[in-house]
Amino acid sequence: MTPHEVHGPPEEPGPLAPQGEPPDLLLAEPDPDLARDVAARFLAAGVRTLVCHDGAEALLQVGAHRPRAVLLAAPLPLVGAAAVTELIARLHPVPVIVGAGAEGAAEATAALSAGAVAFVARPYRAEEILPLLRAGAATDNGRRMLVAGDIELDVEGFHVYVRGRSLTLPVREFLLLRYLVERPNKVVSRGELTKALWGAEKLDSNTLTVHVRRVRNKLRDEAGSRCTIDAIRGMGYRLECGREDTAASDRAGAKVNRG
């Protein structure tokens, strides 16, 4: 099948231009109506989307057009989502998101084991996927590494290293840590984090707290990081990555809630 890039209204996508910037997203979706609908919604949000309809074509187009991210339906015809994810990781590593309903849950689980960074519901909700695309987009031709204290983040590859050792985080926890690593030793409000990670002004009050606690515990207990995520009462959160003596002094002088 011939791939298409959406340039305007969703009636019929126009053909992909042979030159120019890589597409922001390759969407492999066997349902043409669903593909047109979601691609049009992504376009409205500024995400240039290349559409194809099976796993074999997805692999060809990843090699030919080098998209910044891939969204795979599950189940996916010809070549399944798990096999496509594994081959993309070998040939052109970019963030892969897999979308599935009940009928594709097993294939989606296999794709996650093969390296997909997130599992989203299908039919797709743009507000769920757009934060993942923005966080996973490559910013240059090489790896972009963020460093704060003893934490290193490979932005394009969705990898976390603490003191040189790999730490595995689910995608939402990765996005949370990335946001804080980009702003070390600065207080970030709960509202700012909620907007950045979920694209919403408000959430269940416990959702952000639970995600922060999980990342904090993994940094401390699994990775032995010297960095801490402090909850500043009435303000937000701060990733503290100063020298140990300075950090201890700062924490002693601030009202910190560890909850």
Side-chain angles (χ1 to χ4, degrees):
M1 294 185 181
T2 302
H4 296 84
E5 184 175 14
V6 173
H7 294 286
E11 288 82 1
E12 280 298 331
L16 179 70
Q19 296 180 346
E21 289 293 317
D24 298 310
L25 177 69
L26 173 72
L27 170 64
E29 169 54 58
D31 183 333
D33 294 331
L34 177 57
R36 279 195 299 271
D37 176 67
V38 72
R41 281 184 279 142
F42 287 147
L43 177 65
V47 177
R48 293 172 296 110
T49 304
L50 176 65
V51 176
C52 61
H53 300 292
D54 61 64
E57 187 66 24
L59 289 170
L60 289 173
Q61 299 310 321
V62 166
H65 298 288
R66 303 283 174 157
R68 294 188 172 94
V70 176
L71 174 57
L72 303 175
L76 193 61
L78 298 186
V79 182
V84 172
T85 300
E86 184 176 358
L87 287 167
I88 287 174
R90 291 182 189 174
L91 302 175
H92 179 54
V94 294
V96 175
I97 303 166
V98 60
E103 75 284 358
E107 188 171 328
T109 300
L112 288 171
S113 298
V117 300
F119 173 29
V120 297
R122 175 175 175 263
Y124 312 101
R125 294 191 306 157
E127 63 271 21
E128 181 180 10
I129 298 169
L130 287 171
L132 306 179
L133 298 180
R134 293 183 181 120
T139 57
D140 51 42
N141 292 330
R143 292 293 197 199
R144 181 187 175 200
M145 301 298 293
L146 296 175
V147 180
D150 54 15
I151 302 171
E152 293 181 86
L153 269 68
D154 176 351
V155 174
E156 185 179 354
F158 273 68
H159 297 301
V160 181
Y161 303 95
V162 176
R163 304 169 74 178
R165 293 165 45 186
S166 179
L167 175 66
T168 300
L169 295 178
V171 64
R172 194 79 68 178
E173 293 175 19
F174 177 94
L175 300 179
L176 169 62
L177 181 58
R178 172 186 167 172
Y179 201 86
L180 295 174
V181 164
E182 290 177 324
R183 299 157 180 82
N185 307 314
K186 296 181 180 179
V187 177
V188 181
S189 72
R190 291 180 61 91
E192 181 180 347
L193 280 170
T194 299
K195 182 68 173 177
L197 270 64
W198 283 273
E201 297 292 342
K202 294 182 180 180
L203 286 175
D204 171 22
S205 61
N206 196 46
T207 301
L208 179 59
T209 301
V210 168
H211 279 74
V212 170
R213 183 178 299 134
R214 287 173 179 167
V215 175
R216 177 193 293 144
N217 291 343
K218 288 176 182 177
L219 287 174
R220 180 189 62 208
D221 300 335
E222 295 184 22
S225 175
R226 295 187 178 94
C227 295
T228 62
I229 300 177
D230 295 338
I232 311 302
R233 193 183 305 275
M235 297 178 67
Y237 296 96
R238 178 182 64 203
L239 179 68
E240 182 63 70
C241 287
R243 293 178 304 174
E244 289 185 67
D245 54 348
T246 303
S249 176
D250 289 347
R251 288 193 294 274
K255 292 182 179 181
V256 174
N257 173 20
R258 287 291 189 178

